[in-house]
Amino acid sequence: MSSLQALCSGLPLRPLPENRGRQAGVPHAPVRTPGLSPAEKQLALRNALRYFPPDVQELLAPEFAQELQLYGHIYMYRFCPDIEMRAYPIEQYPCQTKVAAAIMHMIMNNLDPAVAQFPQELVTYGGNGQVFSNWAQFWLTMFYLSKMTEEQTLVMYSGHPLGLFPSSRSAPRLVITNGMVIPNYSSRTEYEKLFALGVTMYGQMTAGSYCYIGPQGIVHGTVLTVLNAARRYLGIEDLAGKVFVTSGLGGMSGAQAKAAVIVGCIGVIAEVDKAALEKRHKQGWLMEVTDSLDRCIQRLSVLQLGLQQALGWAGLPAALGLCVLSCFVNLAPLGEGRCLAPSGFSRPLLGAPVLLLCPSREARKKKEVLSLGYHGNVVALWERLVHELDTTGECLVDLGSDQTSCHNPFNGGYYPVQLSFTEAQSLMASNPAAFKDLVQESLRRQVSAINRLAEEKFFFWDYGNAFLLEAQRAGADVEKKGAGRTEFRYPSYVQHIMGDIFSQGFGPFRWVCTSGDPQDLAVTDELATSVLEKAIADGVKVSVKLQYMDNIRWIREAARHRLVVGSQARILYSDQKGRVAIAVAINQAIACRRIKAPVVLSRDHHDVSGTDSPFRETSNIYDGSAFCADMAVQNFVGDACRGATWVALHNGGGVGWGEVINGGFGLVLDGTPEAERRARLMLSWDVSNGVARRCWSGNQKAYEIICQTMQENSSLVVTLPHKVEDERVLQQALQL
């Protein structure tokens, strides 16, 4: 077993570590099919071997060539460290600066098997969101960080550590770029080749910027999305008895079952991958597992005996007041009417004989809180719901979305309904063209079922995973007549649900306690709650107050729902004022030793200013600039200039390669006045940039927020748009 000291000593070459190959019992990335020519294969191998001196190249060359042949990429499995990969307390890292140790803490969290989707392939989430391209890059990066001083900057080119370069104390300690391919060559086909050659990398968003905090982030985002969807589409605050259907229990989507319970609805989630289900079950995010679609539909209302009686039978306190049920096919047979017990329980909530079944209509009337999983294809689930509608006349679903990794539909992000999970993986590797045809047919079937349900009082939205974009490319009926390029029959959740939040400057702000101590996290929760409560007491607009109250509820629920996976982290949606105030409060708590170690501030790239993505983050930009990326690039540069500890700029993320430019940052708070100065300056820019851009595009809420911000800060001067009050001016000028 390696130590952190050994991990920071550079590539292990003498002796070489044992080649243990792919580890059994852990999930692995799908086989990639880059279609390299013989010359390109030689180039890929040459590129991999340049990390190693000539005396070991002869030994390593055959195994690297075999990896390329078998898996479509050279991951360098031999160099996967023999260490418990997790976020260690910051003081345990052998570094010259606390900042470098904080970055190491974040990197190792991204690769923690409890956090990462495919840890041996260095994929954190989204099917292909890489932290590094290969394990040699990991070793070199850890070595450089251990040696880095406050007057050096580590430069990362798509996973490759270019080196340490002299810089100033005020400069970022780390600058990351991922996937910065010349636009005309930024296609999926070219990407597969370039990744196989080891020269570029898809960093998703927070995978390649080392800022992922596990599924907690998407739990919060999903909670807010479903709450605001209920307000907009259903006109309600209380989701009791309402059914939300979606798919995915993987790296990001795995949060959906927990979110359904928090908001108090009935959640039904489909997932094809057994390993993803088992991970969520062991973490306690899913409470039960069974194997029948029929019973999954029936168990929408499993409690005919009554919730209190069922809880008592299971040995649970009646005051618990909720039940989460998860049904999955393709698992080992469990026996008639039986299911796996929740993690930490001695007996299943349901057993043979099943006495609790009753019609699903009854459950909705009883307004039970459920989270129903279905281990099978989501298309089968949608089509079954259509069957229920056509045979009974009742629509059993109120809200719907999709969280498959549809940004990567032909390489494991979306599995066709016509094949089992294993069959699909085999065809994906052996006949990519045939697999693509089946995926597109499956997408058409899925949309057809959704369209039928939408004829009733059912509302569907795109969750920013390129589902509608890929469905359109597959020929599905998603057209919105008379709409622009970024609009479909169903809205993106940014367009109708979260877009107004972004325009008000609210987005996914987060922090990580590098001590690894849950008590430190509890202190930050208390501080954040106090900051938001004070803001409400001081007086804010009704729309802002609503968001603050949602976040106070979120923080109070977070600890009870055991949302921490990996590092001791928290996320909430906050505006500029809230972010700055929380940062200052945390920094002061570090200064007085109430918090024991530095805290890393960050955010999802999916934020007010961080991402230009015409089918997601900027899908509600209607002045023609939705396809322009000035905002994200300026944000990356502006954060670096204003005190960020590290910055990252990526091609791809969320909607997919070539569809997005996005960036993020890390800012280490260490309790010093300098850290507070940086936080105030950088966090203000990090929000105002996007609000100003949204204002200029014509968004009225953004206009109001940026005007208010200018009144509060005389140094901020933003160009404001003038409206064309009379549309006839345009028509007459153009002689229309």
Side-chain angles (χ1 to χ4, degrees):
M1 181 73 72
S2 297
S3 65
L4 290 177
Q5 187 69 47
L7 208 61
C8 297
S9 300
L11 270 169
L13 298 173
R14 294 175 181 82
L16 288 170
E18 177 188 0
N19 183 15
R20 293 169 291 142
R22 274 194 169 195
Q23 182 181 343
V26 299
H28 290 285
V31 173
R32 311 190 76 93
T33 53
L36 299 182
S37 68
E40 289 169 333
K41 290 178 181 178
Q42 286 192 38
L43 182 58
L45 189 56
R46 182 182 296 110
N47 288 346
L49 289 173
R50 60 185 166 178
Y51 286 102
F52 304 93
D55 62 315
V56 297
Q57 289 179 358
E58 187 174 355
L59 175 65
L60 295 177
E63 67 188 58
F64 288 175
Q66 185 180 42
E67 287 185 21
L68 184 62
Q69 180 66 29
L70 293 178
Y71 312 122
H73 188 74
I74 300 172
Y75 296 104
M76 306 183 185
Y77 290 114
R78 176 190 287 268
F79 295 94
C80 182
D82 184 20
I83 191 173
E84 182 185 356
M85 189 68 72
R86 61 182 177 87
Y88 289 86
I90 190 172
E91 70 272 7
Q92 294 185 23
Y93 290 98
C95 296
Q96 296 192 45
T97 70
K98 286 185 178 180
V99 163
I103 297 170
M104 288 182 170
H105 180 94
M106 302 290 281
I107 288 173
M108 293 189 72
N109 184 70
N110 271 26
L111 294 170
D112 181 342
V115 173
Q117 186 178 13
F118 305 125
Q120 273 206 297
E121 287 76 42
L122 304 109
V123 172
T124 299
Y125 71 91
N128 59 350
Q130 303 284 149
V131 186
F132 300 98
S133 180
N134 60 58
W135 284 105
Q137 295 173 347
F138 168 81
W139 284 92
L140 285 174
T141 299
M142 296 295 281
F143 172 72
Y144 285 138
L145 287 170
S146 72
K147 302 300 181 186
M148 186 173 66
T149 71
E150 292 286 1
E151 294 184 342
Q152 290 176 305
T153 294
L154 176 58
V155 176
M156 302 293 298
Y157 279 17
S158 292
H160 169 67
L162 191 67
L164 291 169
F165 292 80
S167 62
S168 68
R169 287 180 174 270
S170 61
R173 298 279 70 80
L174 174 66
V175 176
I176 303 166
T177 52
N178 283 310
M180 292 291 107
V181 174
I182 304 301
N184 280 354
Y185 304 91
S186 189
S187 67
R188 282 181 182 157
T189 302
E190 287 292 337
Y191 169 73
E192 290 299 330
K193 287 193 173 187
L194 293 172
F195 180 60
L197 292 175
V199 296
T200 198
M201 186 180 88
Y202 184 73
Q204 264 286 358
M205 290 189 166
T206 51
S209 66
Y210 319 146
C211 293
Y212 190 62
I213 59 168
Q216 177 187 166
I218 194 65
V219 173
H220 187 32
T222 304
V223 164
L224 292 183
T225 299
V226 176
L227 284 175
N228 283 288
R231 290 165 181 156
R232 180 180 182 104
Y233 299 137
L234 306 179
I236 59 173
E237 291 285 337
D238 183 2
L239 277 149
K242 301 302 179 183
V243 176
F244 171 51
V245 171
T246 183
S247 57
L249 289 165
M252 292 286 282
S253 56
Q256 295 183 106
K258 180 70 76 174
V261 171
I262 292 174
V263 302
C265 72
I266 300 167
V268 186
I269 307 100
E271 170 59 63
V272 296
D273 185 357
K274 177 181 176 180
L277 304 176
E278 290 181 338
K279 175 184 281 193
R280 298 303 168 213
H281 181 253
K282 289 176 182 177
Q283 289 172 342
W285 290 51
L286 288 170
M287 293 175 66
E288 292 191 11
V289 180
T290 189
D291 68 355
S292 166
L293 180 57
D294 287 343
R295 285 167 42 214
C296 181
I297 294 296
Q298 289 175 321
R299 289 181 182 178
L300 279 169
S301 63
V302 75
L303 303 177
Q304 187 168 14
L305 291 182
L307 183 60
Q308 305 304 319
Q309 289 173 270
L311 291 170
W313 177 86
L316 299 175
L320 183 61
L322 59 86
C323 179
V324 181
L325 302 172
S326 309
C327 310
F328 309 107
V329 298
N330 292 348
L331 292 176
L334 303 174
E336 183 63 30
R338 297 196 62 80
C339 60
L340 293 180
S343 176
F345 292 88
S346 60
R347 60 191 294 190
L349 291 182
L350 296 174
V354 175
L355 300 176
L356 305 179
L357 299 181
C358 62
S360 57
R361 292 84 180 154
E362 183 71 18
R364 300 179 77 208
K365 291 177 182 177
K366 294 176 93 172
K367 298 185 177 181
E368 309 291 359
V369 178
L370 304 174
S371 177
L372 261 168
Y374 167 52
H375 180 205
N377 198 287
V378 70
V379 180
L381 179 58
W382 285 118
E383 291 179 339
R384 177 57 185 272
L385 289 167
V386 170
H387 173 76
E388 293 291 319
L389 172 62
D390 290 340
T391 56
T392 70
E394 186 173 4
C395 183
L396 299 179
V397 56
D398 301 285
L399 300 170
S401 192
D402 185 279
Q403 274 201 40
T404 53
S405 295
C406 225
H407 68 275
N408 185 36
F410 312 124
N411 286 286
Y414 183 97
Y415 283 81
V417 67
Q418 306 92 325
L419 303 174
S420 71
F421 182 63
T422 303
E423 290 170 341
Q425 287 194 315
S426 176
L427 185 64
M428 189 192 317
S430 64
N431 192 339
F435 181 79
K436 179 179 179 179
D437 288 344
L438 289 180
V439 165
Q440 293 191 322
E441 179 188 333
S442 189
L443 284 166
R444 292 192 294 271
R445 284 176 57 179
Q446 182 170 346
V447 168
S448 178
I450 291 168
N451 287 349
R452 172 67 185 96
L453 292 166
E455 294 173 7
E456 309 299 320
K457 292 182 179 180
F458 161 69
F459 300 91
F460 182 88
W461 67 87
D462 183 291
Y463 217 138
N465 61 337
F467 170 71
L468 290 178
L469 179 62
E470 290 303 328
Q472 180 192 53
R473 290 168 175 169
D477 182 12
V478 294
E479 180 185 358
K480 180 180 179 180
K481 293 182 179 179
R485 293 170 64 190
T486 63
E487 295 180 277
F488 299 101
R489 181 171 184 163
Y490 306 103
S492 159
Y493 76 119
V494 173
Q495 287 171 316
H496 274 195
I497 304 171
M498 303 298 279
D500 283 346
I501 294 177
F502 284 168
S503 298
Q504 294 176 75
F506 280 86
F509 181 55
R510 58 180 59 167
W511 59 87
V512 176
C513 298
T514 64
S515 65
D517 187 345
Q519 183 56 40
D520 276 358
L521 183 60
V523 172
T524 65
D525 283 348
E526 180 185 334
L527 292 171
T529 301
S530 297
V531 164
L532 298 182
E533 288 176 336
K534 182 179 184 302
I536 292 173
D538 289 345
V540 292
K541 290 184 177 181
V542 173
S543 59
V544 173
K545 179 181 178 180
L546 182 64
Q547 300 305 325
Y548 279 172
M549 291 177 66
D550 282 348
N551 279 284
I552 291 170
R553 172 186 173 184
W554 161 257
I555 295 172
R556 288 173 175 165
E557 293 278 336
R560 184 167 69 85
H561 286 284
R562 297 186 299 165
L563 292 170
V564 169
V565 178
S567 59
Q568 293 294 316
R570 183 67 71 231
I571 185 172
L572 58 78
Y573 269 57
S574 184
D575 59 356
Q576 180 177 323
K577 279 186 178 179
R579 296 185 201 204
V580 171
I582 290 169
V584 170
I586 290 174
N587 195 60
Q588 290 173 352
I590 297 169
C592 68
R593 301 298 297 163
R594 191 178 172 197
I595 296 174
K596 293 179 284 297
V599 171
V600 176
L601 300 182
S602 186
R603 58 162 170 76
D604 196 342
H605 298 197
H606 165 66
D607 196 19
V608 180
S609 310
T611 299
D612 282 297
S613 177
F615 297 101
R616 196 164 83 170
E617 284 81 357
T618 48
S619 60
N620 65 336
I621 300 290
Y622 299 117
D623 67 348
S625 69
F627 292 87
C628 301
D630 299 86
M631 179 178 72
V633 175
Q634 287 282 359
N635 219 67
F636 164 80
V637 175
D639 285 352
C641 294
R642 290 171 175 83
T645 307
W646 74 92
V647 290
L649 186 67
H650 298 183
N651 171 9
V655 182
W657 180 264
E659 307 284 358
V660 188
I661 296 294
N662 65 89
F665 72 86
L667 176 60
V668 176
L669 298 178
D670 59 6
T672 62
E674 173 63 13
E676 179 176 325
R677 185 191 70 80
R678 290 180 180 228
R680 288 182 181 276
L681 193 61
M682 199 222 77
L683 293 175
S684 296
W685 153 258
D686 195 67
V687 175
S688 285
N689 172 37
V691 177
R693 186 268 177 98
R694 294 167 193 278
C695 163
W696 184 246
S697 75
N699 186 288
Q700 183 60 32
K701 288 188 177 180
Y703 183 97
E704 293 169 3
I705 293 295
I706 205 66
C707 286
Q708 178 184 333
T709 307
M710 284 194 287
Q711 289 176 357
E712 296 166 353
N713 184 352
S714 60
S715 297
L716 177 66
V717 183
V718 171
T719 305
L720 298 176
H722 294 284
K723 289 184 178 180
V724 175
E725 298 289 351
D726 187 350
E727 290 291 320
R728 291 174 298 179
V729 171
L730 307 178
Q731 297 167 3
Q732 291 171 2
L734 296 170
Q735 297 181 350
L736 296 178

